[in-house]
Amino acid sequence: MTSHTAGRDRSRGDARAHLAAAHAGKGQSPLVRIALFSLRHPWQASFAIGATIVASVLQLLIPRLLGHAVDQAQGILTTAGEGAEQALFWSAMTLLAVSVARGVFTLLQNYFSESVGHHVGYELRLAFYDKVQKLSYSYHDKIHTGDLITMGLLDLDGVRMFFATGMVRVVLLSVLIGVGAYMLLTTDVVLGLLALSFVPFVAWRSSVAQLTLRATWIALQDKLSGLTRVMEENLGGIRVVRAFSAQDFELAKFDDASRAALELSHQRVDVRVRNTSAMTFSFFAAMGLVLWFGGNKVIAGEMSVGTLASFLTFMTILQMPVRQLGLMVNSFARASICGDRLFSFFDEPLAIDDAPGATDLVVGEGTLRFDDVHFTYPGATHPTLDGVSFEARAGQTVGIVGAPGAGKSTLAHLIPRFYDIDSGSITLDGQDVSKVTLQSLRRAVAVVQQDTFLFTTTIENNIAYGDPWSKETKIEKAAESAQLHNYIMGLPAGYDTVVGERGVSLSGGQRQRLSIARSLVLKPAVMVFDDSTAAIDAGTEHRIRSAIRRYAKDRVTLVISHRLSSLLHADTILFLEDGKIVEQGSHEELLALGGRYRALYELQTRPVEDIELGSAAQ
Ligand code: ADP
């Protein structure tokens, strides 16, 4: 096994493990599930929480030490003495040491909580991507790609950051506010209550603000998804946009979507600014009260200057974390929305999956059999295939014709189980396709689609996509059979030419030929050409067919084509109408039958003038 395969197997194994972990706590709230997922890194999580506790306790010591030092300094002023000065020096040193230690532990807290966040992000991303690979066609039929991308980026980020911005912050604030309040209240109840008076107000304000922010966040996410969708469609259909000079229309559409997002962003800023001002005001009001009452106590000799200083310092220290209550609430709100969406995605049952105890498909002689197959698309009211039965043995070519919408492509998509059938059976060498592993099945069945997707990489990699370790000669042979080799050799970089979105553009016919070569490399037991030669001229198609016939000796070939001339050589031709096979036989037999096939054949072979004259006469 090469290092490449080792890497691939490791990634797959890791992704599976992370996806399984994402299922932990199914049925529980999203926040519990995020916590369970984050705690898969117990060491880092414990260090983060431990460092947070130590840092906050050290933080609480600072006002005490400062107050003590102020009293010592005052003592020196009133009763000067050698010992007092030394004590003050040591107090200052202790204060410095505690501050440095607090800084170090805060650093550790940030380091470990970020580390947990990044690991969680990496693992969720891998699990997400693994799940995306397994999604069935029916899921893609109902969800927009833009929404999936948003989920994989924004939702995942909201979940990833919950440990650092939510869980760790709960610990930090609990210790700071809880222990701090206890220390203040045991020192002086009234002054303690005054010092803490801004806390409930800020907590209330930030909660109200966060509820508003949460609502606008959902709306903003929705608008951003819409924006992605508009942009994606525009880029996907860029040629149509240009051809119809629809730039202004497209710009207006994008402007509408973006204006809505801008308004929401404005609302969010407004909520934030108002609340920040209210919170700052309440803090300084509380500080003023402490100064007033505390000052009076100091004047009355009931309290030392140092104690008052420690109250004020404590308030200053507490200010930031209490303001962060808002961020914490935000983190909870965001994680709960994002987590809900993300975990629902992970929980989504796979419409198409390996049956329990599925075994690998063993390809023997290679006989494909449809037996009374019925199929209805999810959500559709009418069946698309209605009792289809036929058999094709290795070496045979089966042609499929019929009007658009008759169900030809659908029939092809059922063989590699892109969808599952309602009733009947599809077997390959007697093995039901629904009972074998998907991977082995899809390796044995290649569907060459009409519209070909090219990855942004070299021609060689594109052809070898299904089997990245295939030898150069095999790739070249496949390209030769697909009548593409000569064209590739004419390119300056040959097989190393980069194609795809950011590479050399290939014509429709060249793309189709590349797609044919990509399937030929796999040497599948069943090859389906789904109108995949529509953009190729008849002469080239003929040469491809002759070349493939050599390949096709020991495999089943299904050819779906509008052009009956492509099917003349087929052993059997199926005529599909409304999901039923209405005529079946060889070209000659079907012509002799004098039915629909013959009518279609005559239509396609009749000279154009005849058709025009015929229609003029009517
Ligand atoms: P053909 O290949 O003969 O032109 P198809 O197999 O593509 O026909 O489509 C058969 C019918 O199934 C059509 O009515 C089409 O609208 C419907 N159909 C095709 N794909 C889907 C899908 N993903 N979801 C729902 N209906 C579909």
Side-chain angles (χ1 to χ4, degrees):
M1 191 185 274
T2 69
S3 58
H4 271 97
T5 42
R8 203 162 66 150
D9 288 346
R10 181 184 52 73
S11 310
R12 197 192 304 139
D14 285 357
R16 298 281 135 87
H18 301 323
L19 191 54
H23 288 132
K26 207 166 166 175
Q28 309 251 33
S29 86
L31 296 182
V32 173
R33 294 182 70 174
I34 301 175
L36 286 175
F37 199 89
S38 306
L39 295 177
R40 290 177 75 221
H41 301 279
W43 285 113
Q44 277 119 315
S46 311
F47 277 131
I49 290 172
T52 307
I53 294 172
V54 177
S56 27
V57 167
L58 291 174
Q59 177 113 338
L60 287 173
L61 280 180
I62 292 176
R64 274 275 158 107
L65 291 170
L66 203 75
H68 188 60
V70 168
D71 283 342
Q72 281 175 325
Q74 205 192 19
I76 294 171
L77 284 180
T78 47
T79 56
E82 176 98 0
E85 248 174 61
Q86 206 165 15
L88 182 61
F89 173 77
W90 283 115
S91 289
M93 282 297 123
T94 316
L95 197 62
L96 187 69
V98 169
S99 299
V100 170
R102 189 201 70 89
V104 170
F105 278 96
T106 305
L107 199 124
L108 291 176
Q109 165 203 324
N110 289 336
Y111 177 82
F112 285 112
S113 45
E114 284 285 322
S115 164
V116 170
H118 286 302
H119 277 93
V120 165
Y122 165 75
E123 291 164 2
L124 283 177
R125 228 171 283 132
L126 214 57
F128 181 82
Y129 208 60
D130 187 35
K131 181 84 183 188
V132 168
Q133 307 308 309
K134 291 180 183 161
L135 291 175
S136 53
Y137 269 44
S138 52
Y139 186 81
H140 287 292
D141 288 343
K142 68 178 183 192
I143 191 151
H144 201 281
T145 317
D147 294 337
L148 261 185
I149 295 175
T150 307
M151 198 191 295
L153 296 175
L154 295 184
D155 288 346
L156 202 141
D157 225 34
V159 169
R160 175 184 80 77
M161 285 164 41
F162 179 63
F163 181 76
T165 56
M167 290 167 73
V168 168
R169 207 167 263 157
V170 167
V171 177
L172 179 79
L173 294 183
S174 305
V175 176
L176 277 183
I177 300 175
V179 179
Y182 173 79
M183 282 163 66
L184 287 186
L185 294 174
T186 47
T187 311
D188 187 313
V189 178
V190 178
L191 211 59
L193 285 175
L194 285 178
L196 293 169
S197 63
F198 77 102
V199 176
F201 177 79
V202 171
W204 170 67
R205 260 332 305 165
S206 60
S207 302
V208 170
Q210 288 318 318
L211 286 178
T212 321
L213 284 175
R214 182 182 158 165
T216 47
W217 165 251
I218 298 172
L220 189 64
Q221 282 262 67
D222 202 43
K223 292 281 179 272
L224 289 177
S225 278
L227 213 61
T228 318
R229 207 170 304 153
V230 171
M231 195 183 294
E232 201 184 69
E233 260 175 24
N234 180 286
L235 292 177
I238 196 82
R239 288 185 177 80
V240 182
V241 176
R242 295 280 192 282
F244 285 86
S245 297
Q247 287 95 324
D248 289 346
F249 170 70
E250 285 297 319
L251 197 62
K253 208 159 68 174
F254 191 73
D255 189 27
D256 281 347
S258 156
R259 201 174 288 275
L262 178 70
E263 262 164 37
L264 276 168
S265 302
H266 266 309
Q267 272 180 32
R268 288 172 62 78
V269 172
D270 193 48
V271 170
R272 264 206 207 105
V273 170
R274 277 167 198 266
N275 283 286
T276 309
S277 316
M279 288 191 277
T280 310
F281 176 77
S282 76
F283 171 74
F284 283 111
M287 203 170 223
L289 285 176
V290 170
L291 257 177
W292 175 253
F293 281 94
N296 277 337
K297 282 199 168 202
V298 172
I299 292 167
E302 292 166 14
M303 181 180 270
S304 72
V305 181
T307 310
L308 179 60
S310 76
F311 268 81
L312 293 172
T313 318
F314 178 76
M315 285 181 78
T316 319
I317 283 180
L318 203 60
Q319 195 204 175
M320 260 338 271
V322 171
R323 274 167 183 260
Q324 285 179 0
L325 263 172
L327 290 177
M328 191 185 81
V329 175
N330 187 26
S331 166
F332 271 73
R334 189 174 170 203
S336 117
I337 305 164
C338 297
D340 190 31
R341 260 197 300 251
L342 196 65
F343 286 112
S344 306
F345 171 74
F346 284 137
D347 294 345
E348 176 88 22
L350 292 175
I352 308 281
D353 202 1
D354 284 348
T359 50
D360 279 352
L361 174 77
V362 182
V363 181
E365 56 184 22
T367 302
L368 170 72
R369 211 180 133 87
F370 270 58
D371 200 1
D372 197 22
V373 170
H374 292 259
F375 171 72
T376 312
Y377 277 106
T381 44
H382 292 292
T384 298
L385 289 188
D386 195 2
V388 170
S389 302
F390 68 91
E391 188 181 271
R393 287 186 309 279
Q396 281 193 330
T397 298
V398 176
I400 304 173
V401 282
K408 303 183 295 293
S409 301
T410 305
L411 184 152
H413 290 168
L414 296 180
I415 309 170
R417 267 188 87 199
F418 291 158
Y419 297 91
D420 270 341
I421 57 176
D422 306 339
S423 64
S425 71
I426 302 173
T427 55
L428 247 170
D429 281 338
Q431 301 152 83
D432 198 313
V433 293
S434 63
K435 307 238 163 61
V436 296
T437 58
L438 272 181
Q439 203 179 6
S440 64
L441 175 67
R442 291 184 181 168
R443 281 195 163 271
V445 181
V447 181
V448 186
Q449 316 260 6
Q450 190 175 2
D451 40 337
T452 308
F453 184 80
L454 297 184
F455 295 93
T456 306
T457 177
T458 61
I459 291 183
E460 181 177 338
N461 289 345
N462 263 295
I463 297 180
Y465 184 71
D467 180 10
W469 296 277
S470 42
K471 295 211 171 65
E472 257 172 44
T473 48
K474 199 172 161 192
I475 294 169
E476 282 181 18
K477 217 164 146 236
E480 262 168 33
S481 301
Q483 306 300 306
L484 195 62
H485 179 71
N486 289 345
Y487 168 74
I488 299 172
M489 293 314 284
L491 294 169
Y495 279 84
D496 293 329
T497 307
V498 173
V499 290
E501 211 172 326
R502 270 173 280 135
V504 168
S505 296
L506 296 185
S507 74
Q510 286 157 350
R511 293 167 79 98
Q512 289 189 345
R513 281 184 272 162
L514 196 146
S515 170
I516 292 173
R518 185 188 280 167
S519 298
L520 289 177
V521 162
L522 288 177
K523 298 211 161 130
V526 177
M527 259 193 107
V528 186
F529 295 92
D530 186 357
D531 241 339
S532 47
T533 49
I536 298 173
D537 66 277
T540 310
E541 186 194 353
H542 183 71
R543 286 197 296 280
I544 294 176
R545 295 243 174 270
S546 320
I548 289 177
R549 213 163 298 150
R550 268 176 270 128
Y551 261 89
K553 278 199 313 295
D554 44 6
R555 67 203 69 232
V556 172
T557 310
L558 296 192
V559 182
I560 299 171
S561 184
H562 281 111
R563 233 177 3 216
L564 292 192
S565 58
S566 311
L567 305 175
L568 296 182
H569 68 284
D571 298 285
T572 315
I573 298 170
L574 312 176
F575 197 109
L576 263 188
E577 196 174 85
D578 287 336
K580 290 193 183 73
I581 297 177
V582 288
E583 288 177 18
Q584 181 168 1
S586 67
H587 172 68
E588 287 74 21
E589 284 167 357
L590 289 180
L591 278 188
L593 195 68
R596 292 169 175 85
Y597 180 84
R598 188 189 176 105
L600 186 67
Y601 182 74
E602 284 179 353
L603 196 70
Q604 288 197 5
T605 48
R606 230 158 103 191
V608 177
E609 311 87 73
D610 281 7
I611 298 171
E612 280 170 356
L613 285 174
S615 51
Q618 279 170 11

